[in-house]
Coordinates of all heavy atoms in Angstrom, one line a residue:
V1 N -10.5 4.3 -21.6 CA -10.8 3.3 -22.7 C -11.4 4.0 -23.9 O -11.0 3.6 -25.0 CB -11.7 2.2 -22.1 CG1 -12.1 1.2 -23.2 CG2 -10.9 1.5 -21.0
L2 N -12.3 4.9 -23.7 CA -12.9 5.6 -24.8 C -11.9 6.4 -25.7 O -11.9 6.3 -26.9 CB -14.1 6.5 -24.3 CG -14.9 7.1 -25.4 CD1 -15.5 6.1 -26.3 CD2 -16.0 8.0 -24.7
L3 N -11.1 7.2 -25.0 CA -10.2 8.0 -25.8 C -9.1 7.1 -26.5 O -8.7 7.4 -27.6 CB -9.6 9.1 -24.9 CG -8.5 8.7 -23.9 CD1 -7.1 8.7 -24.4 CD2 -8.6 9.7 -22.7
E4 N -8.7 6.1 -25.8 CA -7.7 5.2 -26.4 C -8.3 4.5 -27.7 O -7.6 4.3 -28.7 CB -7.2 4.1 -25.4 CG -6.3 4.7 -24.4 CD -5.9 3.7 -23.3 OE1 -6.5 2.7 -23.2 OE2 -4.9 4.0 -22.6
T5 N -9.6 4.1 -27.6 CA -10.2 3.5 -28.8 C -10.4 4.5 -29.9 O -10.2 4.2 -31.1 CB -11.6 3.0 -28.3 OG1 -11.4 2.1 -27.2 CG2 -12.3 2.2 -29.5
M6 N -10.8 5.8 -29.5 CA -10.9 6.8 -30.5 C -9.6 7.2 -31.2 O -9.6 7.7 -32.3 CB -11.6 8.0 -29.9 CG -13.1 7.8 -29.5 SD -14.2 7.3 -30.9 CE -14.3 5.5 -30.5
Q7 N -8.5 7.0 -30.5 CA -7.2 7.3 -31.1 C -6.9 6.4 -32.3 O -6.1 6.8 -33.2 CB -6.1 7.2 -30.1 CG -6.0 8.3 -29.1 CD -4.8 8.2 -28.1 OE1 -4.7 7.2 -27.4 NE2 -3.9 9.1 -28.2
Q8 N -7.6 5.3 -32.4 CA -7.4 4.4 -33.5 C -8.2 4.9 -34.7 O -7.9 4.5 -35.9 CB -7.9 3.0 -33.2 CG -7.2 2.4 -32.0 CD -7.9 1.1 -31.6 OE1 -8.3 0.3 -32.4 NE2 -8.0 0.8 -30.3
L9 N -9.0 5.9 -34.5 CA -9.9 6.4 -35.6 C -9.6 7.8 -36.0 O -10.0 8.2 -37.1 CB -11.4 6.3 -35.2 CG -11.9 5.0 -34.8 CD1 -13.4 5.0 -34.4 CD2 -11.7 4.0 -36.0
G10 N -8.9 8.6 -35.2 CA -8.7 10.0 -35.6 C -8.0 10.8 -34.5 O -7.4 10.2 -33.5
R11 N -8.0 12.1 -34.7 CA -7.3 13.0 -33.7 C -8.3 13.2 -32.6 O -9.5 13.6 -32.8 CB -7.0 14.3 -34.4 CG -6.6 15.4 -33.4 CD -6.3 16.7 -34.1 NE -6.2 17.8 -33.2 CZ -7.1 18.8 -33.1 NH1 -8.2 18.8 -33.9 NH2 -7.0 19.8 -32.2
V12 N -7.9 13.0 -31.3 CA -8.8 13.1 -30.2 C -8.5 14.4 -29.4 O -7.4 14.8 -29.1 CB -8.5 11.9 -29.3 CG1 -9.3 12.0 -28.0 CG2 -9.0 10.6 -30.0
V13 N -9.6 15.0 -29.0 CA -9.6 16.1 -28.1 C -10.6 15.8 -27.0 O -11.7 15.4 -27.2 CB -10.1 17.5 -28.8 CG1 -10.1 18.6 -27.7 CG2 -9.1 17.8 -29.9
V14 N -10.1 15.9 -25.7 CA -10.9 15.5 -24.6 C -11.2 16.8 -23.8 O -10.4 17.6 -23.5 CB -10.1 14.6 -23.6 CG1 -11.0 14.3 -22.4 CG2 -9.8 13.3 -24.4
V15 N -12.5 17.0 -23.5 CA -13.0 18.0 -22.6 C -13.9 17.4 -21.6 O -15.0 16.9 -22.0 CB -13.7 19.2 -23.3 CG1 -14.0 20.3 -22.3 CG2 -12.8 19.7 -24.4
A16 N -13.5 17.3 -20.3 CA -14.3 16.5 -19.4 C -14.4 17.3 -18.0 O -13.5 18.1 -17.7 CB -13.7 15.2 -19.2
P17 N -15.4 17.0 -17.2 CA -15.5 17.7 -15.9 C -14.3 17.4 -15.0 O -13.8 16.3 -15.1 CB -16.8 17.1 -15.4 CG -17.6 16.6 -16.5 CD -16.6 16.1 -17.5
D18 N -14.0 18.3 -14.2 CA -12.9 18.1 -13.2 C -13.3 17.3 -12.0 O -12.4 16.9 -11.2 CB -12.3 19.4 -12.8 CG -13.3 20.4 -12.1 OD1 -14.4 19.9 -11.8 OD2 -13.0 21.5 -11.9
S19 N -14.6 16.9 -11.9 CA -15.1 16.1 -10.8 C -16.4 15.4 -11.3 O -17.0 15.8 -12.3 CB -15.4 16.9 -9.6 OG -16.4 17.9 -9.9
P20 N -16.8 14.3 -10.7 CA -18.0 13.5 -11.2 C -19.2 14.4 -11.2 O -19.5 15.2 -10.4 CB -18.1 12.4 -10.1 CG -16.7 12.2 -9.6 CD -16.1 13.6 -9.6
Q21 N -20.0 14.2 -12.3 CA -21.2 15.0 -12.6 C -22.4 14.1 -12.9 O -23.2 14.5 -13.7 CB -20.9 16.0 -13.7 CG -19.8 17.0 -13.5 CD -20.3 18.1 -12.5 OE1 -21.4 18.6 -12.6 NE2 -19.4 18.5 -11.6
S22 N -22.4 12.9 -12.4 CA -23.5 12.0 -12.7 C -24.8 12.5 -12.3 O -25.0 13.2 -11.3 CB -23.2 10.6 -12.0 OG -22.1 10.0 -12.5
G23 N -25.9 12.2 -13.1 CA -27.2 12.6 -12.9 C -27.5 14.1 -13.1 O -28.5 14.6 -12.7
M24 N -26.6 14.8 -13.8 CA -26.8 16.2 -14.0 C -27.7 16.5 -15.1 O -28.2 17.7 -15.3 CB -25.4 16.9 -14.3 CG -24.5 16.9 -13.1 SD -25.1 17.9 -11.8 CE -25.1 19.5 -12.4
G25 N -28.1 15.5 -15.9 CA -29.0 15.8 -17.0 C -28.4 16.8 -18.0 O -27.2 16.9 -18.2
H26 N -29.3 17.7 -18.5 CA -28.8 18.7 -19.4 C -28.5 20.1 -18.7 O -28.7 21.2 -19.3 CB -29.9 18.9 -20.5 CG -29.3 19.3 -21.8 ND1 -28.9 18.3 -22.7 CD2 -28.9 20.4 -22.4 CE1 -28.4 18.9 -23.8 NE2 -28.4 20.2 -23.6
A27 N -28.1 20.0 -17.5 CA -27.8 21.2 -16.7 C -26.7 22.0 -17.3 O -25.7 21.4 -17.9 CB -27.5 20.8 -15.3
I28 N -26.8 23.3 -17.2 CA -25.7 24.2 -17.7 C -25.4 25.2 -16.5 O -26.2 25.4 -15.7 CB -26.1 25.0 -19.0 CG1 -27.3 25.8 -18.8 CG2 -26.2 24.0 -20.1 CD1 -27.7 26.7 -19.9
T29 N -24.2 25.7 -16.6 CA -23.8 26.7 -15.5 C -24.0 28.1 -16.0 O -23.5 28.5 -17.0 CB -22.3 26.5 -15.2 OG1 -22.0 25.1 -14.8 CG2 -21.8 27.4 -14.2
I30 N -24.8 28.8 -15.3 CA -25.1 30.2 -15.6 C -24.9 31.2 -14.5 O -24.8 32.4 -14.7 CB -26.6 30.4 -16.1 CG1 -27.6 29.9 -15.1 CG2 -26.8 29.6 -17.4 CD1 -29.0 30.2 -15.4
G31 N -24.7 30.7 -13.3 CA -24.6 31.6 -12.1 C -23.2 31.9 -11.6 O -23.0 32.6 -10.6
K32 N -22.2 31.2 -12.2 CA -20.8 31.4 -11.8 C -19.9 31.1 -13.0 O -20.3 30.5 -14.0 CB -20.5 30.4 -10.7 CG -20.7 29.0 -11.0 CD -20.4 28.1 -9.8 CE -20.6 26.6 -10.1 NZ -20.3 25.7 -8.9
P33 N -18.7 31.7 -12.9 CA -17.7 31.5 -14.1 C -17.3 30.0 -14.2 O -17.3 29.3 -13.3 CB -16.6 32.4 -13.7 CG -16.6 32.5 -12.2 CD -18.0 32.5 -11.9
L34 N -17.0 29.7 -15.5 CA -16.4 28.4 -15.8 C -14.9 28.4 -15.9 O -14.4 29.4 -16.5 CB -17.1 27.8 -17.1 CG -18.5 27.5 -17.0 CD1 -19.1 27.2 -18.4 CD2 -18.7 26.2 -16.1
R35 N -14.2 27.4 -15.5 CA -12.8 27.2 -15.7 C -12.5 26.1 -16.7 O -13.2 25.1 -16.7 CB -12.1 26.9 -14.4 CG -12.4 27.8 -13.2 CD -11.7 29.2 -13.4 NE -11.9 30.1 -12.3 CZ -11.5 31.3 -12.2 NH1 -10.8 31.8 -13.3 NH2 -11.8 32.0 -11.2
L36 N -11.6 26.4 -17.6 CA -11.2 25.4 -18.6 C -9.7 25.4 -18.6 O -9.0 26.3 -19.1 CB -11.7 25.8 -20.0 CG -11.5 24.8 -21.1 CD1 -12.3 23.5 -20.8 CD2 -11.9 25.4 -22.4
D37 N -9.1 24.3 -18.1 CA -7.6 24.2 -18.0 C -7.1 23.0 -18.7 O -7.6 21.9 -18.7 CB -7.2 24.1 -16.5 CG -7.7 25.3 -15.7 OD1 -7.3 26.4 -16.1 OD2 -8.4 25.1 -14.7
A38 N -6.0 23.2 -19.5 CA -5.3 22.1 -20.2 C -4.7 21.2 -19.1 O -4.1 21.7 -18.1 CB -4.3 22.7 -21.1
V39 N -4.7 19.9 -19.4 CA -4.1 18.9 -18.5 C -3.3 18.0 -19.4 O -3.5 17.8 -20.6 CB -5.1 18.2 -17.7 CG1 -5.8 19.1 -16.7 CG2 -6.2 17.5 -18.5
D40 N -2.3 17.3 -18.8 CA -1.5 16.4 -19.5 C -1.5 15.0 -18.8 O -0.6 14.7 -18.0 CB 0.0 16.9 -19.5 CG 0.9 16.0 -20.4 OD1 0.4 15.2 -21.2 OD2 2.1 16.2 -20.2
L41 N -2.6 14.3 -19.1 CA -2.8 13.0 -18.4 C -2.3 11.8 -19.3 O -1.9 10.8 -18.8 CB -4.3 12.8 -18.0 CG -4.8 13.7 -16.9 CD1 -6.3 13.4 -16.7 CD2 -4.0 13.6 -15.7
Y42 N -2.5 11.9 -20.6 CA -2.2 10.8 -21.5 C -1.4 11.4 -22.7 O -1.7 12.4 -23.3 CB -3.5 10.2 -22.0 CG -4.4 9.6 -20.9 CD1 -5.6 10.3 -20.6 CD2 -4.0 8.5 -20.2 CE1 -6.4 9.8 -19.6 CE2 -4.8 8.0 -19.2 CZ -6.0 8.7 -18.9 OH -6.8 8.2 -17.9
E43 N -0.3 10.7 -23.0 CA 0.6 11.2 -24.0 C -0.1 11.3 -25.4 O -0.8 10.4 -25.8 CB 1.8 10.2 -24.1 CG 2.9 10.7 -25.0 CD 4.1 9.8 -25.1 OE1 4.2 8.9 -24.2 OE2 4.9 10.0 -26.0
G44 N 0.1 12.5 -26.0 CA -0.4 12.7 -27.4 C -1.8 13.0 -27.4 O -2.4 13.0 -28.6
V45 N -2.5 13.3 -26.3 CA -3.9 13.6 -26.3 C -4.1 15.1 -25.8 O -3.6 15.4 -24.7 CB -4.7 12.7 -25.4 CG1 -6.2 13.0 -25.5 CG2 -4.5 11.2 -25.9
E46 N -4.8 15.9 -26.6 CA -5.1 17.2 -26.2 C -6.3 17.1 -25.2 O -7.4 16.7 -25.6 CB -5.5 18.1 -27.4 CG -5.8 19.5 -27.1 CD -6.1 20.3 -28.3 OE1 -6.0 19.8 -29.4 OE2 -6.5 21.5 -28.2
M47 N -6.1 17.5 -24.0 CA -7.1 17.3 -22.9 C -7.3 18.6 -22.1 O -6.4 19.4 -21.9 CB -6.6 16.2 -21.9 CG -6.4 14.9 -22.5 SD -6.1 13.6 -21.3 CE -7.7 13.4 -20.6

């Protein structure tokens, strides 16, 4: 719903966790590598 609403205002780029991360606060990952993979979930959205 958020990205579809933002599409009415501009160009949207989505970067989101691959699994739920609720309650993580301002945690960052420093002890293991991070993965960042392009996905095609919604037409016309860079995700």
Side-chain angles (χ1 to χ4, degrees):
V1 173
L2 184 56
L3 73 87
E4 288 175 344
T5 305
M6 292 302 102
Q7 281 184 300
Q8 301 172 39
L9 302 179
R11 169 181 166 250
V12 171
V13 177
V14 178
V15 183
D18 59 10
S19 60
Q21 298 284 322
S22 294
M24 290 299 290
H26 214 90
I28 57 174
T29 302
I30 56 175
K32 59 184 180 181
L34 291 168
R35 305 288 182 185
L36 185 67
D37 299 306
V39 293
D40 186 16
L41 292 179
Y42 303 107
E43 185 177 349
V45 183
E46 185 178 350
M47 301 188 74

